[in-house]
Amino acid sequence: MSELTLEQKETTSPLASIDGLFRLLRLWVERGWLRPLDEALVRFFAERVSTADPLVLLAAALTSHQLGHGHVCLDLEQTLLEPDFALSLPPEGDAGLSGEVLPSQVLATLELAQWLHTLSASPLVATGALGAADCPLVLNGSRLYLRRYWNYERAVDGALRQRLAQPSEVPADLGERLDALFPHQASMPVDWQKLACALATRSALSIITGGPGTGKTTTVVRLLALLQGPRVEANRPLRIRLAAPTGKAAARLTESIGLQVQGLDVADAIKARIPTDVTTVHRLLGSRPGTRHFRHHRGNPLPLDVLVVDEASMIDLEMMANLLEALPPKARLILLGDKDQLASVEAGAVLGDLCRDAEQGYYTPATQAWLEAIAGQSLSTAGLQEGTDAEHALAQQLVMLRYSRRFGEGSGIGELARCVNQQRPEDARKVLNDRSLEDIASCRLHGEQDQALERLLLNGATKGAGARTGGPLGYRHYLTLVQRNRPAATASLEDPAWLVWAGDVLRAFDTFRLLCAVRKGPWGVEAVNQRATRALYAAGLIESDHHWYEGRPVLMTRNDYGLGLMNGDIGIALRLPEAEGSSRLTLRVAFPRNDGQGGVRFVLPSRLTDVETVYAMTVHKSQGSEFEHTALVLPDALNPVLTKELIYTGITRARRWFSLVEPRPGVFEEAVKRKVRRLSGLMLEPAR
């Protein structure tokens, strides 16, 4: 019998002793199922309480592990129903689980009542808000938290409820102001944008959700005009700030909101008081490098009256707690985002939690009557469920925008996104196979050596997606601009032509993007980036297939406050004059300015330590971005990250063309059937 088999045999009853538990945890860490951090935390707990029960320590390990997968807590009841879900098995890139010691084996005979009793009796565990404040674990019902995340969840929950209960002064002529901003449209039985603005005037908290093209930016600009109008007329203008989670999202909103403000049919004095510069949430709060703390907090609140946060689905629980703590008590908070997109990479799905009931509406009779009176519209045919103040307080300040102007009738992208979002895989496949749709295509690969992926990334779609409508040209497009439009070598570095050229190259690069569901494996980001690099080198479009070369696109993987670059920023290496008056060219990396200033900035490659090549990026990293043509590369096997939210997010990154790259049939359909389950207790319990 092998040594591994003996070790496995010893760990089949790991709950009999702490030593047995730690042997099991070590195996799980070596297998890559558990993080070393999770094991280290449990060992620390065991040192703190030498009599700790293995059941408690196992629960602590799984709770810590769940944080790494975006869950705020461990649901013990759910864990016993699906034990292997507690380790997100099978993990990414794992071929099989035969012969392994799984949570389903370890927990096979455990009853929920027994686990809850053992946890409640442990000195490591506090029971809800009534337990000792120094216990590192908190048990609330059947949900187990690490103390820090319990505190974050309670802080966010309490702050949101407080804002909901805080009424705001509604202008006496609100109906007239709404009618002026939203002229009647006979073709639209319910103007959800108008209703969203009406509701947002009533409270210190409002949430507006909707898919791409439903008009979230248009709505919020008119809402700001609605709020600012009476205050400007009274010579008491509101202090308004706009924020987004990433630099890319901030730059997009800055451009979009500027155009929207110019088109407003309101007095110039009101327009002048609607800001168009959008900052990142980190910059807004005042990041302190190397710490989890910010310059703005309860003792030093943000100097504002209204805060708008776009792409709120990307904000994790900890960041939302910091943001709410830094808001002045009387300030309004307006959250915008698509509830159906992927949640943040970090723990928590705040917007998703808040928008659980968005589809159904759940307006109370009083709210519905007020909306119909103030907006002059009937909601009787909207198909909404009736709610109550006790159970649906949040719903009274939540509006879901339902009409997409980007993906209208005849849009394959829009129809595919709807089918995926509604988990209708067979209908989604019909859309992909519909040859009459020119904005969408499926690229089936036959083995890892199939060159169809290379043709796609070089030249865009060869059939479907743009082939009949002059679609984008893949990565050949931006690399051709690098060579063809380069300023004359005699132009000095100060010549604006270099900035114009670099800006054109950056914009051209953003016309096409490969998105991957996973990082590892033959169809993950790492392998696809290598494959793209080799293909571009073989085609003579880049001068090297390793390290730094002109045309290399790079993604920042960590915030660099010294350079003013943030995680997720993308730049492209270009040859520019070495110095003023020099004819020698040297590589610099061009980054778009995401600070509201516009333009381009150049950084020497030697100063960039935390970057990676980015012909392909994960769907998670693409949030907040849009591309003319997006190609989503699926892996050849299912794993926990493949869900309808990931597929939907990938599809909706495309403005005009979408391609689905499929190494193996059936993976797409199986992914659409699966839904993200982010465990949390936010806004689930009655207010205390």
Side-chain angles (χ1 to χ4, degrees):
M1 188 175 287
S2 69
E3 182 180 343
L4 179 59
T5 306
L6 283 170
E7 195 168 20
Q8 288 177 328
K9 188 175 180 181
E10 289 179 1
T11 56
T12 54
S13 301
L15 302 182
S17 69
I18 289 181
D19 287 341
L21 174 67
F22 280 131
R23 282 194 295 271
L24 175 69
L25 297 185
R26 172 48 32 192
L27 277 179
W28 285 354
V29 169
E30 290 171 356
R31 197 68 173 86
W33 298 350
L34 204 66
R35 300 175 300 174
L37 172 66
D38 307 325
E39 182 192 13
L41 181 68
V42 173
R43 288 188 181 276
F44 171 74
F45 289 167
E47 291 172 3
R48 177 172 172 176
V49 178
S50 59
T51 58
D53 192 295
L55 261 180
V56 175
L57 297 178
L58 175 63
L62 296 179
T63 303
S64 178
H65 168 272
Q66 291 288 63
L67 280 174
H69 286 262
H71 304 287
V72 172
C73 58
L74 176 73
D75 188 313
L76 301 169
E77 185 174 12
Q78 182 68 42
T79 298
L80 292 179
L81 288 173
E82 297 181 87
D84 296 338
F85 173 72
L87 284 183
S88 302
L89 297 179
E92 182 178 322
D94 218 309
L97 301 173
S98 60
E100 304 289 356
V101 182
L102 304 175
S104 51
Q105 295 171 273
V106 177
L107 300 173
T109 61
L110 184 62
E111 297 290 335
L112 178 61
Q114 177 191 353
W115 208 357
L116 291 173
H117 175 76
T118 304
L119 286 163
S120 299
S122 173
L124 289 168
V125 182
T127 305
L130 303 177
D134 61 345
C135 293
L137 298 168
V138 179
L139 180 65
N140 190 54
S142 66
R143 296 190 299 271
L144 185 67
Y145 296 79
L146 293 183
R147 165 68 64 179
R148 178 191 294 164
Y149 285 87
W150 163 259
N151 290 341
Y152 289 148
E153 188 172 278
R154 291 304 90 202
V156 170
D157 193 289
L160 292 176
R161 291 182 190 275
Q162 183 179 6
R163 289 182 182 281
L164 279 175
Q166 183 177 306
S168 294
E169 183 180 348
V170 176
D173 58 348
L174 177 60
E176 290 84 350
R177 291 180 183 272
L178 281 168
D179 289 341
L181 288 166
F182 295 92
H184 176 67
Q185 299 182 53
S187 61
M188 189 179 295
V190 178
D191 190 338
W192 294 103
Q193 295 184 8
K194 187 176 185 180
L195 297 182
C197 288
L199 279 185
T201 63
R202 307 195 312 170
S203 171
L205 172 68
S206 57
I207 304 169
I208 302 171
T209 187
T214 52
K216 295 186 291 295
T217 305
T218 301
T219 304
V220 82
V221 167
R222 295 184 187 183
L223 171 57
L224 294 179
L226 188 67
L227 296 174
Q228 192 68 284
R231 296 293 295 266
V232 168
E233 292 162 9
N235 202 26
R236 295 185 297 114
L238 294 165
R239 297 169 300 169
I240 300 172
R241 295 295 303 273
L242 312 173
T246 67
K248 188 76 173 179
R252 277 188 53 231
L253 185 59
T254 295
E255 180 180 359
S256 175
I257 215 161
L259 294 172
Q260 294 282 350
V261 170
Q262 290 306 310
L264 275 175
D265 187 17
V266 298
D268 289 343
I270 297 173
K271 285 185 186 180
R273 289 292 185 171
I274 300 176
T276 56
D277 288 345
V278 185
T279 186
T280 65
V281 175
H282 277 84
R283 287 194 179 109
L284 176 76
L285 292 177
S287 298
R288 290 181 171 174
T291 77
R292 305 177 83 102
H293 304 296
F294 295 91
R295 187 163 53 86
H296 289 288
H297 44 75
R298 185 173 290 106
N300 180 31
L302 290 161
L304 53 79
D305 302 303
V306 178
L307 175 62
V308 176
V309 181
D310 193 24
E311 297 286 359
S313 63
M314 299 168 65
I315 297 183
D316 61 271
L317 183 68
E318 180 179 358
M319 180 56 73
M320 185 61 76
N322 285 315
L323 188 64
L324 289 167
E325 184 189 356
L327 279 181
K330 301 294 185 183
R332 292 178 187 264
L333 175 63
I334 302 163
L335 299 178
L336 304 178
D338 185 345
K339 69 179 180 63
D340 297 312
Q341 277 190 197
L342 280 169
S344 63
V345 176
E346 303 300 328
V350 177
L351 188 71
D353 288 340
L354 301 182
C355 294
R356 290 185 187 102
D357 299 331
E359 196 92 34
Q360 293 79 16
Y362 284 120
Y363 298 131
T364 65
T367 296
Q368 185 163 321
W370 183 84
L371 280 172
E372 290 180 339
I374 207 74
Q377 298 180 14
S378 172
L379 294 176
S380 60
T381 60
L384 303 178
Q385 300 292 316
E386 185 176 305
T388 64
D389 285 320
E391 294 183 35
H392 305 103
L394 182 62
Q396 312 315 303
Q397 289 305 123
L398 169 62
V399 173
M400 177 177 167
L401 307 180
R402 299 162 192 256
Y403 303 126
S404 176
R405 290 158 177 80
R406 184 192 308 168
F407 302 137
E409 295 238 1
S411 166
I413 296 174
E415 185 57 28
L416 182 63
R418 282 187 286 274
C419 291
V420 167
N421 203 21
Q422 295 166 10
Q423 295 187 281
R424 296 187 281 123
E426 293 80 10
D427 292 336
R429 176 58 65 188
K430 289 177 183 176
V431 175
L432 284 166
N433 292 338
D434 188 340
R435 306 302 295 172
S436 69
L437 298 172
E438 297 191 346
D439 62 344
I440 202 159
S442 174
C443 176
R444 285 282 181 88
L445 302 182
H446 303 283
E448 291 184 28
Q449 305 308 313
D450 193 328
Q451 294 296 296
L453 177 59
E454 278 74 8
R455 292 191 292 273
L456 176 67
L457 69 90
L458 281 168
N459 302 311
T462 54
K463 57 183 178 179
R468 294 184 292 276
T469 53
L473 301 174
Y475 288 135
R476 185 186 297 276
H477 175 46
Y478 93 92
L479 289 168
T480 301
L481 282 183
V482 170
Q483 301 301 330
R484 183 181 298 165
N485 292 6
R486 183 194 306 280
T490 55
S492 72
L493 184 58
E494 303 304 315
D495 193 316
W498 293 109
L499 291 173
V500 172
W501 171 63
D504 288 345
V505 170
L506 286 165
R507 282 186 291 275
F509 179 67
D510 273 351
T511 60
F512 175 70
R513 192 63 39 84
L514 291 168
L515 303 183
C516 296
V518 297
R519 289 196 61 84
K520 305 293 183 182
W523 307 107
V525 164
E526 296 172 6
V528 172
N529 268 318
Q530 293 171 5
R531 189 164 174 165
T533 304
R534 289 194 299 270
L536 295 169
Y537 179 64
L541 293 170
I542 56 177
E543 61 197 14
S544 173
D545 59 357
H546 64 280
H547 204 49
W548 286 105
Y549 52 85
E550 186 169 48
R552 180 192 178 195
V554 294
L555 173 80
M556 293 291 298
T557 59
R558 187 178 298 179
N559 293 341
D560 188 323
Y561 297 99
L563 293 175
L565 296 172
M566 306 299 285
N567 186 356
D569 286 352
I570 290 177
I572 297 178
L574 299 172
R575 294 198 183 280
L576 294 106
E578 191 173 65
E580 179 66 27
S582 172
S583 60
R584 291 184 58 186
L585 300 179
T586 188
L587 277 181
R588 286 184 171 85
V589 183
F591 286 92
R593 289 189 177 275
N594 291 334
D595 54 6
Q597 303 296 317
V600 179
R601 56 179 306 192
F602 300 111
V603 180
L604 288 170
S606 59
R607 300 189 67 190
L608 298 172
T609 56
D610 297 302
V611 294
E612 61 185 24
T613 301
V614 68
Y615 295 113
M617 64 197 303
T618 62
V619 176
H620 264 294
K621 286 285 189 182
S622 74
Q623 286 183 269
S625 300
E626 291 177 350
F627 313 100
E628 294 294 298
H629 181 188
T630 299
L632 174 61
V633 183
L634 295 182
D636 56 0
L638 279 173
N639 72 52
V641 305
L642 281 175
T643 61
K644 67 106 169 174
E645 286 84 1
L646 182 136
I647 304 294
Y648 170 84
T649 303
I651 293 168
T652 54
R653 298 312 88 204
R655 288 196 195 98
R656 299 178 65 188
W657 298 281
F658 174 77
S659 298
L660 181 69
V661 181
E662 298 181 273
R664 184 172 74 79
V667 172
F668 171 78
E669 283 83 356
E670 288 302 314
V672 172
K673 294 176 185 176
R674 295 158 54 163
K675 189 173 182 179
V676 166
R677 288 182 289 174
R678 282 277 175 105
L679 304 178
S680 104
L682 186 62
M683 302 294 282
L684 281 179
E685 299 174 17
R688 286 187 284 271

